[in-house]
Amino acid sequence: MSRKKWIVKSGNKENATLISEKLGISPYSALIASTRGINTVEQAREFFGLDERKSVDPMDFPDMYPAVKRIQKALDGFERIAVYGDYDADGVTSTALLYSYLEMQGADVVYYVPNRHTEGYGLSYEAIDKLSLMGVRLIITVDNGISAIDEAKYINELEMELIVTDHHLPSDVLPQAVAVVDPHREDCNLEFKDYAGVGVAYKLICALEGEENGVTDSFADLAAIGTVADIMPLIKENRDIVRRGVELIADSDRIGLQALIEAGGLGNKAITSTSVAFGICPRINAAGRMGSADRAIRLLLTDDYDEATLLAQEINDENILRQQTEQEILGQAVEQIKANSDWQYQNVLVVAGEGWHDGVVGIVASRLVEKYGKPTLVITVDGEDAKGSGRSIEGFSLYDALNACGECLTNFGGHTLAAGIGLKTSDIDAFRKAINAYADSMEMPYPMQNIDFKLNPACVSVEMLETINQLEPFGSGNPQPIFGLYNMTVSDIQPIGNGKHLRIILERNGVSLQTVKFKTVQAEFPYRKGDVVDAAVQLEANEYLGQVRVNILLKNIKLHDMVEEDLFSSMSDFSKLMSGKTQGFDAELLIPQRETSAKVYRFIRSVGRWNYDIETLCHRLDLWAEDYGQVAVSVEAMLEMGILIKDENQGLSVPKTSEKVNLQDAPILKRLTELSKGSADNAEW
């Protein structure tokens, strides 16, 4: 897992105390809310759902009036309407929501969702032709359409009409349509604009109803699923939509949703925004990723119990296949990165494979970002053509980076943290160089580990769970709280789950806490008994036989005594050196002292094999954070000269036999000496 910078958020304790007293909520809840910008009683009433609901007037959306007028005309004239959706969970729920609402109004309505693998995203000429032959007079897009400039013209040529509802960023030119309902239009004056595609569709049916009422509320479950799935910020109206939707899902009369909950093993668990995010959304997404999204839409629309059970099981099986496929591609991608050792020092990772499943490359990119802490693009190759998906970290706009590399791409689109690309297979290497050249032109950020506040281990209790529950729903913009347990001593490490996970016992001042680190085997855990660490944890309820206990999930861990500012400065200098840069760092500071190199060699020889990071190695050698670069250079120099060897799992060891060599002959040390000499000459000049 990549090293993250730990940031303890700063809340306003005075404001939190006032909010707690005025509204009768937990002081801890108020303090966490304060770290998320909630600093007035009025803001807190809205955030905690204590105010009577105040929804945004849907008629304030651009073009909402002509959209409603045209749909009413189609309803009155019994014109055939097509709801044109997308294959991800946001698009699926958007399609199901608008289709079922229009059907309730007696409309002659059909839906169309393109196949991810054969048709790709958005409106296409072939699909438009099919809809025309079906007698469709009005096409309404949901979660797509804002970029369909040419396709919109074609719709008009076929004497059909188009209404676009979307939440993606528009270009300078809008599609030729009766209405383009998108909160990101430049002429939109809404205070809050970050709706999911399903959120925009939901506001459309509110506009058609004339108000939010029991009819529109019955669609809050679909609106919540799409909003959570598309990782929209759970603030303002999104928060209210998801809060209502989660309550509706928990007591749903939607047969397909009930069947999916049962198939996913959620039947006996409390439904929360988190269980929606990790239990429901991935399964709906899997239908479109691994095959046809039509199955997910039919599941959400069906009134037949047997059909729902069958579809839910099929989709659940697809999700299992998705997970297996994802792990296979992830393993191949990691091997590819290991085989190209210089890639690990590049600022952006670009991996590609023949025939990688295009439905999961985005998820694989997310896993690689978590592992390496760098923006990553995963590309699947199909003959001469290739396409891929990318994920980024806070502070690096993937969309801007792709825009700067446009000459290497046939198409691209997306957002700051996620994007998709198309390119020629022959241009993959050029693209890798171009996007890294762009990244090299700026100071790259490190991934962050946010801590809501430092927690005394004695305060970990069942009562803290109620504090956390008050902050629901969780998601983007309002993540589950992360607490910092600082200056903790590792007292025991126990493998659990057939060795796949770890139970780590942490102690401080006589308080002992059992934490669980999932998907970590003991051989890869760099810490040992007696180490003093800081732990980033989540607290979750574990109910068994009517008794509630606190589960402590270890999300991140670091050495307590490493000064992060010094550590990241030295890490950055070493990375610049290894990526071939000659400026932007002090080469002299990276030249290891003879004793440092000797310490590294003696330690690795004494332990037999070392497969942990350089930071932990510094700690074992009683060196400082600022010595990271020198230790890393020592290791690299010894690898170059054969004094150390690295195995296929990146473990370091001393070879059984080796010739006597002069470490100063290592290419990396020669380069550093030249760079250092050049810097001195320039300074003297």
Side-chain angles (χ1 to χ4, degrees), residues 415-436:
H415 306 286
T416 301
L417 297 178
I421 60 171
L423 71 168
K424 291 295 181 183
T425 301
S426 57
D427 288 333
I428 291 175
D429 287 339
F431 170 66
R432 182 181 292 111
K433 291 176 183 175
I435 198 166
N436 273 286

Short mmCIF file of all heavy atoms in Angstrom, two decimals, residues 415-436:
data_model
loop_
_atom_site.label_atom_id
_atom_site.label_comp_id
_atom_site.label_asym_id
_atom_site.label_seq_id
_atom_site.Cartn_x
_atom_site.Cartn_y
_atom_site.Cartn_z
N HIS A 415 -13.81 13.28 -15.65
CA HIS A 415 -13.78 14.27 -14.59
C HIS A 415 -12.36 14.42 -14.06
O HIS A 415 -11.41 13.86 -14.60
CB HIS A 415 -14.70 13.85 -13.44
CG HIS A 415 -16.11 13.56 -13.88
ND1 HIS A 415 -16.99 14.55 -14.22
CD2 HIS A 415 -16.77 12.39 -14.02
CE1 HIS A 415 -18.15 14.00 -14.55
NE2 HIS A 415 -18.04 12.69 -14.44
N THR A 416 -12.23 15.16 -12.97
CA THR A 416 -10.93 15.40 -12.36
C THR A 416 -10.28 14.10 -11.89
O THR A 416 -9.09 13.88 -12.11
CB THR A 416 -11.08 16.36 -11.16
OG1 THR A 416 -11.64 17.58 -11.63
CG2 THR A 416 -9.74 16.65 -10.52
N LEU A 417 -11.06 13.24 -11.26
CA LEU A 417 -10.49 12.04 -10.64
C LEU A 417 -10.74 10.75 -11.41
O LEU A 417 -10.21 9.71 -11.05
CB LEU A 417 -11.04 11.88 -9.22
CG LEU A 417 -10.70 12.99 -8.23
CD1 LEU A 417 -11.34 12.73 -6.88
CD2 LEU A 417 -9.19 13.13 -8.07
N ALA A 418 -11.55 10.81 -12.47
CA ALA A 418 -11.84 9.59 -13.24
C ALA A 418 -12.09 9.97 -14.69
O ALA A 418 -12.73 10.98 -14.97
CB ALA A 418 -13.05 8.87 -12.67
N ALA A 419 -11.57 9.15 -15.60
CA ALA A 419 -11.74 9.47 -17.02
C ALA A 419 -11.59 8.21 -17.86
O ALA A 419 -11.05 7.19 -17.41
CB ALA A 419 -10.70 10.51 -17.45
N GLY A 420 -12.07 8.30 -19.10
CA GLY A 420 -11.92 7.22 -20.05
C GLY A 420 -11.19 7.72 -21.29
O GLY A 420 -11.26 8.91 -21.61
N ILE A 421 -10.48 6.83 -21.96
CA ILE A 421 -9.70 7.22 -23.14
C ILE A 421 -9.84 6.19 -24.25
O ILE A 421 -10.16 5.03 -24.01
CB ILE A 421 -8.20 7.39 -22.81
CG1 ILE A 421 -7.60 6.06 -22.29
CG2 ILE A 421 -7.97 8.51 -21.80
CD1 ILE A 421 -6.09 6.08 -22.15
N GLY A 422 -9.59 6.65 -25.47
CA GLY A 422 -9.45 5.79 -26.63
C GLY A 422 -8.19 6.20 -27.35
O GLY A 422 -7.86 7.39 -27.42
N LEU A 423 -7.45 5.23 -27.89
CA LEU A 423 -6.22 5.54 -28.60
C LEU A 423 -5.81 4.36 -29.46
O LEU A 423 -6.36 3.26 -29.34
CB LEU A 423 -5.09 5.91 -27.64
CG LEU A 423 -4.45 4.80 -26.76
CD1 LEU A 423 -3.16 5.33 -26.13
CD2 LEU A 423 -5.38 4.32 -25.68
N LYS A 424 -4.85 4.60 -30.33
CA LYS A 424 -4.29 3.53 -31.14
C LYS A 424 -3.27 2.75 -30.29
O LYS A 424 -2.53 3.34 -29.51
CB LYS A 424 -3.60 4.09 -32.39
CG LYS A 424 -4.57 4.69 -33.40
CD LYS A 424 -5.48 3.61 -33.98
CE LYS A 424 -6.44 4.17 -35.01
NZ LYS A 424 -7.37 3.12 -35.51
N THR A 425 -3.24 1.44 -30.48
CA THR A 425 -2.31 0.61 -29.71
C THR A 425 -0.87 1.07 -29.89
O THR A 425 -0.08 1.08 -28.94
CB THR A 425 -2.45 -0.86 -30.15
OG1 THR A 425 -3.81 -1.28 -29.93
CG2 THR A 425 -1.51 -1.76 -29.38
N SER A 426 -0.56 1.49 -31.10
CA SER A 426 0.81 1.94 -31.39
C SER A 426 1.18 3.23 -30.66
O SER A 426 2.36 3.59 -30.59
CB SER A 426 0.97 2.16 -32.90
OG SER A 426 0.00 3.09 -33.38
N ASP A 427 0.20 3.92 -30.10
CA ASP A 427 0.47 5.19 -29.42
C ASP A 427 0.53 5.07 -27.90
O ASP A 427 0.67 6.08 -27.20
CB ASP A 427 -0.61 6.22 -29.79
CG ASP A 427 -0.49 6.71 -31.22
OD1 ASP A 427 0.64 6.69 -31.75
OD2 ASP A 427 -1.52 7.12 -31.80
N ILE A 428 0.44 3.85 -27.37
CA ILE A 428 0.41 3.69 -25.91
C ILE A 428 1.71 4.19 -25.27
O ILE A 428 1.69 4.92 -24.28
CB ILE A 428 0.14 2.22 -25.52
CG1 ILE A 428 -1.30 1.84 -25.90
CG2 ILE A 428 0.35 2.02 -24.01
CD1 ILE A 428 -1.64 0.38 -25.67
N ASP A 429 2.86 3.80 -25.84
CA ASP A 429 4.15 4.25 -25.27
C ASP A 429 4.28 5.76 -25.35
O ASP A 429 4.76 6.39 -24.39
CB ASP A 429 5.31 3.57 -26.00
CG ASP A 429 5.45 2.10 -25.64
OD1 ASP A 429 4.93 1.71 -24.57
OD2 ASP A 429 6.05 1.34 -26.43
N ALA A 430 3.86 6.33 -26.47
CA ALA A 430 3.94 7.79 -26.63
C ALA A 430 3.03 8.48 -25.62
O ALA A 430 3.39 9.52 -25.04
CB ALA A 430 3.55 8.19 -28.06
N PHE A 431 1.87 7.88 -25.38
CA PHE A 431 0.94 8.45 -24.40
C PHE A 431 1.54 8.39 -23.00
O PHE A 431 1.45 9.35 -22.22
CB PHE A 431 -0.38 7.69 -24.44
CG PHE A 431 -1.31 8.03 -23.31
CD1 PHE A 431 -1.84 9.31 -23.20
CD2 PHE A 431 -1.62 7.09 -22.34
CE1 PHE A 431 -2.70 9.63 -22.14
CE2 PHE A 431 -2.47 7.39 -21.30
CZ PHE A 431 -3.00 8.67 -21.19
N ARG A 432 2.18 7.26 -22.67
CA ARG A 432 2.81 7.12 -21.34
C ARG A 432 3.86 8.22 -21.15
O ARG A 432 3.93 8.85 -20.08
CB ARG A 432 3.45 5.74 -21.20
CG ARG A 432 4.09 5.50 -19.84
CD ARG A 432 4.74 4.12 -19.74
NE ARG A 432 3.76 3.05 -19.76
CZ ARG A 432 3.60 2.20 -20.76
NH1 ARG A 432 4.35 2.31 -21.86
NH2 ARG A 432 2.69 1.25 -20.70
N LYS A 433 4.66 8.47 -22.16
CA LYS A 433 5.68 9.51 -22.06
C LYS A 433 5.06 10.89 -21.97
O LYS A 433 5.50 11.75 -21.18
CB LYS A 433 6.62 9.44 -23.28
CG LYS A 433 7.50 8.19 -23.30
CD LYS A 433 8.33 8.12 -24.58
CE LYS A 433 9.16 6.84 -24.62
NZ LYS A 433 9.90 6.69 -25.90
N ALA A 434 4.01 11.12 -22.75
CA ALA A 434 3.39 12.45 -22.79
C ALA A 434 2.73 12.81 -21.47
O ALA A 434 2.89 13.93 -20.96
CB ALA A 434 2.37 12.52 -23.93
N ILE A 435 2.00 11.87 -20.89
CA ILE A 435 1.29 12.19 -19.65
C ILE A 435 2.27 12.33 -18.49
O ILE A 435 2.06 13.14 -17.57
CB ILE A 435 0.18 11.16 -19.34
CG1 ILE A 435 -0.80 11.75 -18.31
CG2 ILE A 435 0.76 9.83 -18.87
CD1 ILE A 435 -2.09 10.98 -18.18
N ASN A 436 3.39 11.60 -18.54
CA ASN A 436 4.39 11.77 -17.50
C ASN A 436 5.19 13.06 -17.68
O ASN A 436 5.59 13.68 -16.69
CB ASN A 436 5.32 10.56 -17.44
CG ASN A 436 4.77 9.46 -16.55
OD1 ASN A 436 4.80 9.59 -15.33
ND2 ASN A 436 4.27 8.40 -17.15
#
